[in-house]
């Protein structure tokens, strides 16, 4: 694992691991079910397996589409990037979760639809952030200095885009991942509840429906820790990719 990611995870220990441990401990102490702590541990694993792949795939595809929308806006990839960037506010995770639940009840498979429903909002946000970042990387301003220097050294266009422009588009996407993580967690709670998946979100909703604060509050605390953990992963990837962290004297242009 890259060192910046490890550093971010270590820094996130108080805000991520401790709340999850506290939620599990509270479940063991105050929850009415005798096996509530183990159920919460299993639920956190299910929620993580539901949200992490969705965030990774959605963010990667959205970043590529948004970047391509800046490079070739009239191409098929560019049109997809522009569509994703514009559709973001219209596609909340909980609405997609409801659509996925209807599809599952009609006979579709739950897991692929769940991952797809959670990955679309992440892709939309990534495309919205990556497109202007790629525009700046390829533009005449200071942020385009590294690209201009690479072109001046005679590097081919594909190498310039892959190794110099794309990292500058990815960094702000990962830095803004917090909103995508929050949307994914809200969507996961809705998805688990609607599809009867054994995740932490479904445990919280079931306890709230039963009027059991002792069952719902520990799960909410643990979900807050899981959200902080995913945020830390995103910031670690940003620190690893961001070109500004790989040079002590960044090129500011002529």
């Amino acid at each position: 694992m890259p060192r910046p990611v490890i550093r971010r995870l270590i820094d996130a220990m108080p805000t991520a691991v401790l709340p999850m441990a506290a939620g599990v401990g509270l479940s063991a102490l105050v929850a009415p079910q005798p096996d509530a702590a183990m159920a919460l541990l299993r639920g956190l694993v299910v929620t993580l397996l539901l949200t992490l792949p969705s965030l990774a795939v959605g963010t990667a595809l959205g970043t590529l589409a948004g970047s391509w929308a800046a490079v070739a806006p009239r191409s098929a990839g560019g049109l997809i990037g522009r569509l994703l960037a514009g559709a973001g506010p219209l596609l909340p995770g909980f609405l997609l979760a409801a659509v996925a639940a209807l599809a599952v009840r009609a006979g579709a498979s739950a897991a692929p639809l769940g991952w797809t429903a959670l990955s679309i909002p992440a892709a939309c946000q990534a495309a919205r952030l990556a497109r202007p970042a790629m525009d700046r990387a390829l533009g005449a301003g200071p942020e385009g200095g590294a690209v201009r220097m690479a072109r001046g050294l005679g590097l081919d266009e594909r190498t310039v885009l892959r190794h110099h422009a794309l990292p500058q588009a990815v960094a702000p996407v990962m830095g803004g991942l917090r909103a995508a993580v929050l949307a994914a967690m809200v969507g996961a709670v809705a998805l688990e509840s609607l599809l009867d998946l054994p995740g932490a979100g479904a445990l919280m909703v079931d306890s709230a429906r039963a009027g059991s604060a002792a069952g719902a509050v520990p799960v909410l605390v643990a979900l807050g820790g899981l959200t902080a953990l995913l945020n830390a992963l995103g910031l670690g990837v940003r620190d690893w990719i961001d070109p500004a962290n790989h040079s002590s004297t960044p090129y500011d242009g002529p």
Side-chain angles (χ1 to χ4, degrees), residues 68-89:
W68 200 247
V71 175
R74 295 188 179 181
S75 66
L79 290 175
I80 292 173
R82 291 160 62 189
L83 178 64
L84 288 174

Side-chain angles (χ1 to χ4, degrees), residues 23 26-27 30-33 203-221:
L26 282 173
S27 292
V30 302
Q33 297 84 4
L203 292 176
M204 183 180 69
V205 172
D206 290 344
S207 297
R209 285 175 177 170
S212 173
V217 171
V219 182
L220 181 61
V221 172

Side-chain angles (χ1 to χ4, degrees), residues 93-94 97 118 181-191:
F94 64 87
L118 295 182
V181 169
L182 185 59
M185 294 302 295
V186 172
V189 171
L191 200 64

Side-chain angles (χ1 to χ4, degrees), residues 119-133:
S119 65
I120 291 176
C124 291
Q125 170 161 317
R128 183 176 60 84
L129 294 176
R131 184 183 178 189

Side-chain angles (χ1 to χ4, degrees), residues 86-164:
L90 305 176
L91 296 172
F94 64 87
L95 177 61
L96 293 171
V99 174
L102 291 175
V104 169
R105 290 177 181 176
S109 178
L113 272 177
W115 283 319
T116 302
L118 295 182
S119 65
I120 291 176
C124 291
Q125 170 161 317
R128 183 176 60 84
L129 294 176
R131 184 183 178 189
M134 180 62 85
D135 279 331
R136 292 192 297 269
L138 299 175
E143 294 184 9
V147 171
R148 291 195 298 273
M149 183 174 65
R151 285 171 173 163
L153 292 173
L155 298 179
D156 64 273
E157 194 66 18
R158 180 175 295 181
T159 301
V160 170
L161 289 175
R162 182 183 301 171
H163 296 289
H164 297 278

